[in-house]
Amino acid sequence: MDGNDAVASVAYRLNEVIAIYPITPASSMGELSDAWAAAGRKNLLGGVPSVVEMQSEGGAAGTVHGALQAGALTTTFTSSQGLLLMLPNMFKIAGELTPVCIHVAARTIATHALSIFGDHSDVMACRSAGFAMLCSASVQEAHDFALVAQMASLESRIPFLHFFDGFRTSHELSTITTLSDDDLCALMPWSAVDAHRARALTPDRPVARGTTHNPDTYFQAREAVNSFYDACPEVVAQCFARLAERTGRRYASVEYFGHPEARDVIVVMGSASQVVREVVAGASARGERVGGLVVRLYRPFPSAEFLAALPATVQRIAVLDRTKEPGAPAEPLHLDCATVLAESGRGVDVIGGRYGLSSKEFTPESVQAVLAETGSARPKRRFTVGIVDDVTHLSLPVAEHVPRAEEDTWCAVLYGLGSDGTVSASKSSCQIVTSETHRSAQGYFVYDSKKAGAVTISHLRFGHRPIERPYLIRDADLVACHFAGLLDKIDVLAVARQGATFLLNTPVAPERVFGSLPLDVQEQILQKRLTLWSIDADQIARDSGLGRHISTIMQVCFFALSDLVADEQAQSAIRSSLAKSYGKRGEAVIRQNEQAIAAARAALVRVPVPDAITTGTAKRPPVPEHAPEFVRRVTAALMAGQGERLPVSAFPVDGTWPTDTARWEKRGLASEIPVWDAGICIQCNKCTFVCPHAAIRAKAYPESERARLPADFPQVKWRGTELGEHQYTLQVAPEDCTGCGLCVAVCPAKDKSNPRHKAIDMTLAEPLLAQERDRFERFLAIEPLSRASLPRDVKHVQLLEPLFEFSGACAGCGETPYIKLLTQLFGDRLYIANATGCSSIYGGNLPTSPYSTDRAGRGPTWANSLFEDNAEFGLGFRLAVDVHQERAALLLRELGAALPERLVTELLAATQDDEQGILQQRARVVELRALLAARPEPKAAALASVCDYLVKKSVWLVGGDGWAYDIGFGGLDHVLASRHDVNILVLDTEVYSNTGGQQSKATPVGAAAKFASAGKETGKKDLGLIAMSYGHAYVARVAFGAKDAQTVRAFVEAEAHPGPSLIVAYSHCIAHGYDLVHGCAQQKLAVDSGVWPLYRFDPRRAQDAQPPLALDSSGPKATVREYMRGEARFLMVERADPERFERLTRRAERQAKERVLLYQQLSELSVGPKR
Amino acid sequence: MDLATSYLGLELKGPLIVGASPIGDRQEVAQRAVDAGAAAIVLRSLFEEQLTAEAQHLRRASDDFHFAEAKSVLPEPADAVFGPDQYLAHIARLKRATGVPIIASLNGTTASGWLRYAVECQQAGADALELNVYQLGSDPERTAENIEAEVLQMVLQVKASITIPVTVKLSPFFTSLGNLLVRLEEAGANGFVLFNRLYQPDIDAEELEVSHQLELSTSAELPLRLRWLALLSPRLSGSLACSGGVHTGLDAVKALMAGAHVVQVVSAVLRHGPSRFGDLLAELRSFLERHEYPSLAALRGSMSVSRCPDPRAFERQGYQRVLASYRDPIAPA
């Protein structure tokens, strides 16, 4: 099990109320609790815990606080920003001496950037809250301490924050000894539970809590808790002792390890202590007088235990903190240790450093570097380790890793894709090895930040003793590459040890495999004397009816090459594992896999390796020579996986990054790309509209451009009449396409004689890459038409340049076409405030930015604040822009006499209602700027600095339904209630997509989602209707797959509306459970069935005594059932419980009908003109 | 008038039963059909390959996306999602609720799949099993003999593994239907359902697509069934069901006269609702009374080739006569 499983399994059994909210990397603790509760699993008290998903962590904390006050055993799980939202309640809970244990997968707090990875910055921000803080260093500890923390909390009345390293511990798969129900029962302090209940608020013994104090009392009352904190370390020690007595596993609040007469000691918390332990064990065995000290109980700081644990011989300690407190004299653990030692008069020198921020690897070499520094004559008083700081020179030099086989373990590193099942199969392999051989297993999985074509790297260790190596494998015995295309992008063999085995899945015949490898791969195979094996797993998968699912096949190969489990035994275990995965009903599926399993073993072959390099080709450089300097220096390194090597000086100091960089990241994901047949194409541009990655584009251009294009450049006469004589080209970006096929699915133009052939067809990419790459370059060079010349309809809007391209969104994403449209319509004057979620990840996760610029260098400017505050954040943009505009207008008036009257008047009076108006205003600003440059007055310079704001700006607040319906609803509602001119785009996937499909209030009735696994009972919140109720907000509900013209119209109207606007946009998503190539068809069914009626509510229409609401979809043309049957999220409910499905479907049908009727009535409702 | 009849050894209160269709899906609808006079219910076919495909799809939908922030994007599916549990539970539930015999229906592709589910249907309480054979014969590599042998093999295996009666639902497109049915009966088939209405795709000439609309049957489809019932009923000892084209009481009368033991009704019910059974039975009863049949048995098979006045009409000679008697509307009077 992983750390989250280990914690949840204890917390679930010990608690009665669990209030949750998803946040990485803590989400799965809540998900498991919910799934167990849904399955009726009981806690130790014999009841099923009440698991409730709240609208935010703030809400969860409030619920926890309330449940505790009313006497229930209560818990929650969270991380990072979520923990910060809980902070106000935590102070209250602690002030009231309320026993509770909150479990935290510790994660970085967003500062200059968001990071989902692990460090202690979140928990350290809570150290003043009054919670005790207990830190686990491993999955086993996380499991055990989940119990100890709750025991100690109940006994001490101090609330506990139990934390462990996000990802490193929360997501590490580890073989542990679990606590049985009997263990928990025996160890829980039941009398303290009774005491907790006895303190519950009840009208039968009424008391008041949460009173308000005055200066006369607050201070003294606050000091009344002191004795409880004083007693707490001893309570923890006793709890540890009881655990040891029952299980044999001994822990202490502070534990020393190493040389008994150590001079130099590293003090550390969390998983890093295991690395320190490993290095110190080796060093002290060699007689080096070094040691390590792990602090497990951080608050209340166990001063006495700390002093007692530290050998008397110690002269200097280096305290390592996994957090950063800018401006502090030292980091928190360092300060605590220094204070305790100073008061003790021990004369120990204390130095300290930061390590491991945002899951930065903490390796044995890092520990050696710290020990070397600690033992040196004049060490750095403050340092960092694990990075190169070439600016403030705080970093310690860390030696390069010297390759050697790991002692006691057998290691494998498997490279796969997020969608090929490699991670699931790796987890299953760990399970098989553990159960079949009683070895310990460790699995850790590294993911990239892209969603389409995401690479996964599975690090698996196996050994006969518990594995305590919380760092990535560097010396693998087996390296497997499940997708040959990765060899061109990643240095897959860097982790292979000398003499290791290399397994490659490739369609190339064995005798040609070596010759097909890139130069550096061939070199490494020869240098490291690797044994090379190959298999064509994709072919076997296709032949066995498994489609593109190769994981079982690769798993068979893994066991065949690993010697961990005998072949036959492994295959039978794989079958059992499949049976487990498919439940007791999996026989049919397993039968289907049998063929693949048998074929896999037969098809795995050893590839002959020649003595020398053959015809291997070198990798292409990550970016071309003509890329911008920053891209070549920084972005290219990140793209090549070399970001770790970049020094501090390479980075912006304030988190400001250039946009327009995704175009340098040629990922080449698609095995098939669309190819255009100009003869059939009707130039509707629907393909470019739906493309989630802006990888298929259309341009119309004057005949004159033709001369600059090669003779074979595909083009055809433009069919429209609006532009006059023009040529037209539809072009794919072959290395940016993800091969989702949405464009082909939506293409309406078929060859009349061979309707299987459309105006675009998916075609094997490889033979076309060079040609299409060249054509795309030439296509980009064609001058775009003037923005003012193009009508705002689907066809012509797609001739506008998209300023959002090649994002990391999923293949077939239903959100990105909306964002792309936004940039086509308003991109050169667009502000985007982006709520955290999928759109902030594909929109803002390094290494590149998908937001791009036009030829004038203008483009969307983008920022993400938080998940919960995006509406407020975006409103801030608007207010600032308004301030700048007003200042520009004021200065213009003040300088008026010195400027041409016509220009001033026109600048101030320009309505900028359309693109022509914007263009004219831009021209005026150019003229103004030139005039100002010649003026001596200070006000002229001031006006020059703000005159660009005289051109209208478009402010958009973008985010998903988790933000808009749940955590950010309060702010969104407030902004809608204002009259400020902001536009809100809600990309509604009806679940929290980014954190893994948890239900939101946008989830429709009948859909299975996490936290609603049996199918959601209640209907979707009607956000649009709420917004309409204000009367002054523009509101639209759109679904581009159903009616793209209505989508375009809504965007244009929303932007033009002078007050707040809201667009709720249907976004198909992988979390709906179907092949997204059918995304548009499902959108159409959603609209045709009445599940997603399309409308536009425009308050301006009321001015003309028209009904403000215009319904844009007609009555039902399809059934709700038809729509629901197309998606696994509904189908799952039907298959699990048909009666329930029936009931929920009927409810969905009724609600759809009622909603359409309501909208129909509203669309006929008009009152007289306001004037 | 006693309409009781026997089908597959089951004693039924009447000759009209619910054919394999969504009608049996919902307990409430099935109950209304029974209340209106349906004497048994054939459930919708359980498709083995569909079960397998759905299981794979649902598992992968919940399992196939691995990102740093999400181990999956859908909840872990319940076990029941992957198998025929719901179908089996439905058999028991419907049997309890309606009190009429419940006939399970299987449409399989591999023998092992059929066997497993056949046994489970029996265990779940099915009173009989309808094997739905859907063989198009479009593969140029496979002979008619291959196909027939496969069908025979399936019947043999299923019969060997269960004790409840087994009926085989076939298409009319076998080369020598009479021969096949006799051999299937020898292999143990307790009856036959004539015929499977093979799903017929259409062409959408505007959109240039194959359209997948399922068309309900009409009375025009009945004569094909009547001919084969009339031809084969005297030569088979098992039970025969007429399936397809019965929309009126008179249609039912004809099917029974041709030799059917029961008539399966689907399209008429899907069009008019479960109460249609009552109308059909009333019409049937009225016919019997009007024509003074002493019992249903007296009518059954009265127009089969062994008893009808002109058996040649069902054979090749009938074809010649029809052509000869056809009056060409454009010929000079």
Side-chain angles (χ1 to χ4, degrees):
Chain A
M1 59 172 68
D2 70 19
N4 281 344
D5 297 1
V7 170
S9 89
V10 171
Y12 181 86
R13 286 180 285 171
L14 298 185
N15 286 287
E16 297 162 308
V17 173
I18 304 177
I20 49 183
Y21 189 77
I23 183 162
T24 308
S27 304
S28 68
M29 290 185 278
E31 289 167 19
L32 283 167
S33 302
D34 178 68
W36 292 331
R41 192 188 286 193
K42 290 184 173 157
N43 61 16
L44 279 191
L45 298 110
V48 175
S50 179
V51 181
V52 55
E53 183 198 15
M54 294 307 297
Q55 88 286 9
S56 72
E57 290 89 350
T63 304
V64 166
H65 187 193
L68 290 168
Q69 283 304 330
L73 294 172
T74 306
T75 190
T76 185
F77 314 103
T78 194
S79 191
S80 188
Q81 316 298 133
L83 186 60
L84 295 194
L85 289 177
M86 291 188 176
L87 207 43
N89 262 293
M90 289 170 66
F91 277 90
K92 297 282 297 175
I93 290 167
E96 292 159 349
L97 289 177
T98 318
V100 64
C101 178
I102 293 177
H103 303 275
V104 177
R107 162 183 155 183
T108 310
I109 282 178
T111 49
H112 64 290
L114 173 146
S115 168
I116 58 168
F117 294 100
D119 64 37
H120 300 164
S121 56
D122 55 355
V123 291
M124 284 303 179
C126 299
R127 66 187 197 278
S128 64
F131 267 55
M133 294 167 68
L134 189 65
C135 177
S136 295
S138 67
V139 178
Q140 181 71 61
E141 287 190 11
H143 186 64
D144 290 339
F145 293 6
L147 168 65
V148 169
Q150 185 146 349
M151 288 163 67
S153 180
L154 282 160
E155 292 199 351
S156 66
R157 293 192 62 187
I158 308 287
F160 268 62
L161 191 162
H162 167 225
F163 69 100
F164 41 96
D165 290 331
F167 282 100
R168 188 62 253 183
T169 305
S170 68
H171 281 51
E172 178 185 306
L173 216 58
S174 177
T175 310
I176 66 165
T177 309
T178 52
L179 292 161
S180 66
D181 286 359
D182 288 344
D183 293 333
L184 299 186
C185 262
L187 291 168
M188 267 291 269
W190 294 110
S191 57
V193 172
D194 292 341
H196 168 62
R197 290 198 180 122
R199 289 190 294 269
L201 291 173
T202 163
D204 296 327
R205 295 182 302 280
V207 293
R209 290 198 190 118
T211 53
T212 303
H213 283 211
N214 297 325
D216 55 342
T217 58
Y218 184 92
F219 196 171
Q220 308 91 296
R222 189 76 189 102
E223 294 298 317
V225 299
N226 292 356
S227 54
F228 290 85
Y229 287 88
D230 294 343
C232 187
E234 179 52 29
V235 172
V236 174
Q238 285 170 12
C239 292
F240 275 139
R242 293 211 294 277
L243 178 79
E245 195 180 326
R246 172 92 190 173
T247 67
R249 293 191 292 279
R250 298 191 179 281
Y251 304 105
S253 297
V254 178
E255 182 195 338
Y256 174 79
F257 47 80
H259 199 286
E261 295 177 349
R263 273 200 306 261
D264 306 317
V265 168
I266 296 177
V267 178
V268 68
M269 279 196 292
S271 62
S273 65
Q274 292 193 329
V275 193
V276 175
R277 198 185 287 268
E278 180 185 342
V279 174
V280 160
S284 60
R286 291 191 298 273
E288 293 174 33
R289 291 177 62 188
V290 296
L293 189 142
V294 55
V295 175
R296 294 201 176 92
L297 181 65
Y298 176 63
R299 283 286 179 275
F301 194 79
S303 307
E305 288 85 345
F306 176 82
L307 292 170
L310 204 62
T313 49
V314 172
Q315 294 174 3
R316 183 178 288 146
I317 64 169
V319 184
L320 296 182
D321 271 272
R322 199 164 199 159
T323 188
K324 177 176 173 69
E325 293 199 2
E331 258 59 56
L333 181 60
H334 181 171
L335 286 180
D336 292 322
C337 295
T339 307
V340 171
L341 282 167
E343 286 186 350
S344 74
R346 289 259 299 256
V348 175
D349 185 28
V350 184
I351 63 170
R354 291 182 290 276
Y355 76 100
L357 296 196
S358 178
S359 289
K360 177 71 73 191
E361 278 286 280
F362 185 64
T363 60
E365 290 76 18
S366 301
V367 178
Q368 280 153 358
V370 176
L371 284 176
E373 192 68 17
T374 314
S376 70
R378 297 184 56 193
K380 289 183 173 171
R381 309 301 306 168
R382 303 286 179 274
F383 60 83
T384 55
V385 63
I387 57 168
V388 176
D389 176 359
D390 55 345
V391 178
T392 48
H393 306 287
L394 288 172
S395 59
L396 302 182
V398 176
E400 285 287 324
H401 170 65
V402 180
R404 61 176 167 271
E406 282 193 10
E407 277 175 40
D408 305 331
T409 55
W410 185 88
C411 323
V413 177
L414 318 178
Y415 290 82
L417 298 177
S419 56
D420 69 6
T422 297
V423 170
S424 292
S426 297
K427 290 181 176 175
S428 146
S429 297
C430 288
Q431 181 66 40
I432 289 172
V433 173
T434 308
S435 59
E436 301 288 320
T437 70
H438 304 294
R439 279 191 180 90
S440 290
Q442 180 201 54
Y444 189 75
F445 307 94
V446 178
Y447 307 86
D448 77 19
S449 41
K450 306 288 182 189
K451 290 174 192 273
V455 178
T456 64
I457 311 173
S458 304
H459 291 253
L460 311 180
R461 284 187 174 100
F462 303 96
H464 288 285
R465 287 191 300 189
I467 296 163
E468 294 170 343
R469 292 207 171 101
Y471 51 88
L472 300 177
I473 293 167
R474 289 97 53 88
D475 303 290
D477 298 277
L478 169 69
V479 176
C481 182
H482 292 192
F483 174 59
L486 295 178
L487 294 176
D488 282 325
K489 315 272 176 202
I490 306 175
D491 187 359
V492 164
L493 291 179
V495 295
R497 70 160 169 80
Q498 197 72 20
T501 304
F502 176 36
L503 166 65
L504 179 66
N505 171 31
T506 170
V508 178
E511 63 278 10
R512 293 192 294 111
V513 166
F514 189 81
S516 72
L517 301 174
L519 188 62
D520 67 315
V521 177
Q522 286 197 352
E523 277 171 354
Q524 290 197 70
I525 290 174
L526 293 173
Q527 279 163 13
K528 295 183 172 177
R529 296 183 180 283
L530 304 184
T531 318
L532 177 59
W533 293 77
S534 79
I535 186 164
D536 185 355
D538 293 273
Q539 185 62 46
I540 297 173
R542 277 194 296 272
D543 292 349
S544 326
L546 296 176
R548 55 191 173 80
H549 295 269
I550 59 164
S551 56
T552 307
I553 299 158
M554 297 309 290
Q555 204 182 357
V556 171
C557 299
F558 169 83
F559 280 112
L561 297 175
S562 69
D563 276 343
L564 290 165
V565 182
D567 257 12
E568 275 301 307
Q569 193 185 352
Q571 286 170 29
S572 128
I574 291 171
R575 281 184 203 104
S576 312
S577 154
L578 281 168
K580 200 172 165 198
S581 176
Y582 284 91
K584 61 184 193 306
R585 281 310 186 172
E587 292 86 345
V589 181
I590 296 162
R591 266 203 310 278
Q592 206 181 35
N593 277 276
E594 294 282 346
Q595 193 190 338
I597 293 174
R601 193 60 193 88
L604 175 66
V605 288
R606 182 156 177 187
V607 174
V609 175
D611 297 329
I613 302 290
T614 58
T615 55
T617 46
K619 273 184 197 152
R620 274 202 296 156
V623 297
E625 283 299 311
H626 61 274
E629 188 275 335
F630 184 84
V631 170
R632 275 182 286 127
R633 182 168 54 86
V634 178
T635 312
L638 305 188
M639 281 166 14
Q642 302 292 322
E644 302 285 347
R645 295 181 183 274
L646 290 177
V648 171
S649 66
F651 292 89
V653 295
D654 57 358
T656 305
W657 287 73
T659 61
D660 201 17
T661 45
R663 64 197 175 102
W664 302 109
E665 194 175 18
K666 298 297 174 197
R667 302 181 68 219
L669 296 175
S671 55
E672 290 187 331
I673 54 173
V675 168
W676 183 44
D677 184 339
I680 300 171
C681 181
I682 57 168
Q683 301 176 7
C684 63
N685 289 342
K686 283 183 183 293
C687 54
T688 67
F689 193 109
V690 302
C691 177
H693 294 81
I696 184 162
R697 300 196 184 181
K699 265 186 184 170
Y701 43 94
E703 291 272 350
S704 53
E705 280 277 346
R706 231 176 145 160
R708 279 183 268 178
L709 295 165
D712 67 343
F713 188 77
Q715 52 182 308
V716 70
K717 268 210 170 322
W718 169 250
R719 294 164 75 120
T721 51
E722 298 85 346
L723 307 175
E725 287 286 305
H726 272 65
Q727 291 298 107
Y728 173 83
T729 295
L730 188 71
Q731 177 62 46
V732 67
E735 293 170 303
D736 303 296
C737 172
T738 63
C740 72
L742 265 181
C743 55
V744 173
V746 81
C747 174
K750 292 172 182 165
D751 179 345
K752 299 278 182 292
S753 302
N754 176 18
R756 194 176 299 177
H757 171 50
K758 287 180 158 187
I760 40 172
D761 284 335
M762 294 307 279
T763 312
L764 210 56
E766 179 58 36
L768 298 168
L769 276 183
Q771 168 195 304
E772 294 301 318
R773 194 186 295 147
D774 179 55
R775 284 181 177 171
F776 185 61
E777 283 299 317
R778 291 180 183 280
F779 175 88
L780 287 179
I782 299 171
E783 189 73 31
L785 296 177
S786 160
R787 296 179 58 80
S789 69
L790 298 168
R792 294 304 187 251
D793 57 32
V794 170
K795 177 171 170 155
H796 292 94
V797 160
Q798 287 310 308
L799 299 177
L800 291 166
E801 229 178 336
L803 298 178
F804 175 77
E805 58 183 11
F806 320 140
S807 76
C810 295
C813 175
E815 293 187 353
T816 46
Y818 293 112
I819 299 182
K820 186 182 61 176
L821 175 65
L822 192 59
T823 69
Q824 287 172 308
L825 290 169
F826 322 113
D828 59 350
R829 53 194 180 88
L830 176 61
Y831 281 83
I832 295 181
N834 206 138
T836 308
C838 274
S839 54
S840 75
I841 299 302
Y842 61 64
N845 206 127
L846 290 186
T848 57
S849 167
Y851 289 96
S852 56
T853 53
D854 64 14
R855 295 186 172 213
R858 294 192 191 94
T861 192
W862 181 95
N864 159 249
S865 171
L866 298 168
F867 192 11
E868 60 270 24
D869 74 340
N870 191 53
E872 301 91 315
F873 183 56
L875 177 65
F877 288 4
R878 176 79 266 167
L879 299 178
V881 169
D882 289 350
V883 165
H884 297 323
Q885 272 169 351
E886 282 159 21
R887 179 147 185 266
L890 181 70
L891 288 165
L892 193 56
R893 282 193 203 94
E894 287 177 2
L895 274 172
L899 295 165
E901 192 185 338
R902 168 202 55 85
L903 181 64
V904 173
T905 312
E906 283 181 1
L907 274 167
L908 291 172
T911 53
Q912 306 180 61
D913 285 341
D914 55 17
E915 206 63 46
Q916 192 60 40
I918 302 272
L919 269 184
Q920 286 166 350
Q921 185 78 340
R922 283 202 195 287
R924 289 181 203 116
V925 170
V926 170
E927 188 185 344
L928 173 67
R929 196 183 284 285
L931 291 168
L932 291 173
R935 302 291 317 179
E937 304 95 316
K939 278 184 182 169
L943 178 54
S945 74
V946 288
C947 64
D948 279 335
Y949 290 98
L950 291 167
V951 178
K952 192 172 168 185
K953 302 290 187 281
S954 189
V955 177
W956 286 75
L957 290 40
V958 177
D961 48 284
W963 159 62
Y965 286 69
D966 287 357
I967 196 168
F969 175 70
L972 183 124
D973 179 57
H974 197 84
V975 170
L976 280 171
S978 80
R979 286 195 169 267
H980 295 289
D981 187 7
V982 295
N983 309 286
I984 303 170
L985 173 60
V986 179
L987 303 162
D988 192 347
T989 62
E990 309 195 315
V991 278
Y992 289 83
S993 300
N994 194 48
T995 47
Q998 296 84 1
Q999 71 161 341
S1000 73
K1001 283 197 281 297
T1003 305
V1005 62
K1010 290 176 186 165
F1011 304 152
S1013 46
K1016 186 158 172 269
E1017 277 281 346
T1018 54
K1020 182 186 178 83
K1021 164 158 127 182
D1022 195 337
L1023 189 63
L1025 201 58
I1026 295 171
M1028 278 185 239
S1029 71
Y1030 286 114
H1032 67 269
Y1034 177 92
V1035 188
R1037 190 153 158 158
V1038 302
F1040 72 86
K1043 213 169 187 179
D1044 45 15
Q1046 189 254 2
T1047 304
V1048 172
R1049 212 167 154 191
F1051 274 62
V1052 171
E1053 288 177 356
E1055 208 277 335
H1057 176 62
S1061 303
L1062 171 73
I1063 296 177
V1064 184
Y1066 187 104
S1067 305
H1068 57 245
C1069 176
I1070 54 166
H1072 299 173
Y1074 63 95
D1075 186 341
L1076 293 188
V1077 73
H1078 307 301
C1080 292
Q1082 273 304 109
Q1083 289 201 23
K1084 192 164 182 322
L1085 274 175
V1087 171
D1088 286 349
S1089 63
V1091 163
W1092 191 276
L1094 304 177
Y1095 61 74
R1096 288 164 298 120
F1097 177 94
D1098 192 337
R1100 287 166 293 187
R1101 274 196 287 269
Q1103 303 286 340
D1104 306 323
Q1106 298 288 316
L1109 181 68
L1111 202 49
D1112 294 325
S1113 52
S1114 50
K1117 285 184 278 186
T1119 64
V1120 172
R1121 205 171 285 268
E1122 218 176 316
Y1123 164 68
M1124 290 170 75
R1125 286 241 165 89
E1127 305 187 0
R1129 57 175 170 157
F1130 299 113
L1131 202 58
M1132 215 173 242
V1133 180
E1134 184 186 28
R1135 299 301 313 274
D1137 188 346
E1139 301 270 322
R1140 181 180 168 83
F1141 175 76
E1142 193 54 44
R1143 186 165 55 79
L1144 296 180
T1145 303
R1146 277 195 242 173
R1147 190 176 295 169
E1149 285 168 344
R1150 200 187 60 240
Q1151 287 177 357
K1153 209 167 162 184
E1154 284 171 359
R1155 200 162 34 239
V1156 171
L1157 270 174
L1158 174 67
Y1159 292 159
Q1160 276 169 352
Q1161 289 173 31
L1162 286 175
S1163 70
E1164 287 158 15
L1165 205 68
S1166 61
V1167 286
K1170 282 181 183 167
R1171 47 181 171 271
Chain B
M1 175 68 67
D2 179 16
L3 294 182
T5 186
S6 165
Y7 175 61
L8 302 170
L10 307 168
E11 295 307 321
L12 305 185
K13 63 180 179 182
L16 303 188
I17 70 174
V18 175
S21 65
I23 299 167
D25 284 1
R26 278 161 58 190
Q27 189 176 317
E28 170 244 327
V29 177
Q31 187 63 55
R32 278 166 56 204
V34 169
D35 292 346
I41 297 167
V42 185
L43 293 181
R44 171 207 288 275
S45 284
L46 190 59
F47 282 78
E48 188 204 5
E49 69 263 41
Q50 187 185 343
L51 272 182
T52 312
E54 272 186 17
Q56 300 258 26
H57 171 63
L58 292 172
R59 164 51 67 195
R60 284 169 187 161
S62 78
D63 208 29
D64 253 13
F65 296 94
H66 291 277
F67 307 126
E69 304 210 48
K71 292 180 191 172
S72 63
V73 292
L74 274 165
E76 180 72 5
D79 263 12
V81 160
F82 298 124
D85 296 30
Q86 294 304 335
Y87 188 86
L88 301 174
H90 189 57
I91 292 176
R93 200 163 40 229
L94 216 52
K95 195 173 166 179
R96 245 191 339 267
T98 61
V100 298
I102 302 297
I103 301 168
S105 171
L106 285 186
N107 188 323
T109 44
T110 64
S112 55
W114 281 64
L115 286 186
R116 193 197 145 81
Y117 295 144
V119 171
E120 291 191 340
C121 287
Q122 172 172 306
Q123 285 166 351
D127 295 285
L129 189 68
E130 188 173 291
L131 292 185
N132 184 355
V133 175
Y134 194 117
Q135 295 278 13
L136 265 189
S138 60
D139 181 356
E141 301 294 313
R142 296 177 73 222
T143 64
E145 224 169 11
N146 293 153
I147 293 174
E148 290 184 7
E150 200 171 280
V151 177
L152 269 167
Q153 194 57 28
M154 283 183 184
V155 170
L156 274 170
Q157 289 183 340
V158 169
K159 278 300 290 182
S161 61
I162 59 173
T163 53
I164 54 172
V166 174
T167 181
V168 186
K169 188 173 183 179
L170 292 161
S171 84
F173 303 121
F174 283 90
T175 310
S176 181
L177 194 60
N179 173 273
L180 177 65
L181 262 54
V182 169
R183 286 193 292 148
L184 287 171
E185 198 160 75
E186 284 167 7
N190 304 88
F192 299 98
V193 180
L194 305 180
F195 290 110
N196 199 334
R197 288 183 69 239
L198 291 182
Y199 148 74
Q200 306 288 6
D202 200 355
I203 287 172
D204 182 332
E206 287 298 329
E207 297 296 325
L208 296 180
E209 275 171 5
V210 181
S211 59
H212 300 273
Q213 204 69 28
L214 183 72
E215 292 294 334
L216 297 179
S217 77
T218 65
S219 293
E221 291 178 41
L222 186 61
L224 176 73
R225 277 83 183 161
L226 296 181
R227 159 182 280 185
W228 286 101
L229 284 166
L231 286 172
L232 297 175
S233 61
R235 293 167 195 168
L236 297 166
S237 54
S239 296
L240 292 173
C242 174
S243 172
V246 174
H247 288 261
T248 64
L250 191 59
D251 289 343
V253 165
K254 291 178 190 174
L256 295 164
M257 282 179 163
H261 293 83
V262 295
V263 171
Q264 296 191 350
V265 187
V266 174
S267 294
V269 174
L270 291 177
R271 249 189 217 113
H272 305 291
S275 62
R276 187 68 180 162
F277 274 102
D279 305 338
L280 295 181
L281 276 172
E283 289 173 34
L284 171 61
R285 189 172 279 117
S286 151
F287 182 92
L288 291 169
E289 284 167 2
R290 219 167 46 241
H291 295 84
E292 300 179 351
Y293 280 94
S295 68
L296 185 64
L299 175 127
R300 204 189 76 78
S302 57
M303 288 298 287
S304 70
V305 285
S306 63
R307 286 193 257 163
C308 73
D310 184 7
R312 290 178 311 166
F314 285 114
E315 300 276 4
R316 188 175 157 80
Q317 290 89 329
Y319 176 55
Q320 296 166 351
R321 216 170 330 143
V322 169
L323 288 184
S325 67
Y326 183 67
R327 278 181 46 210
D328 185 349
I330 53 169

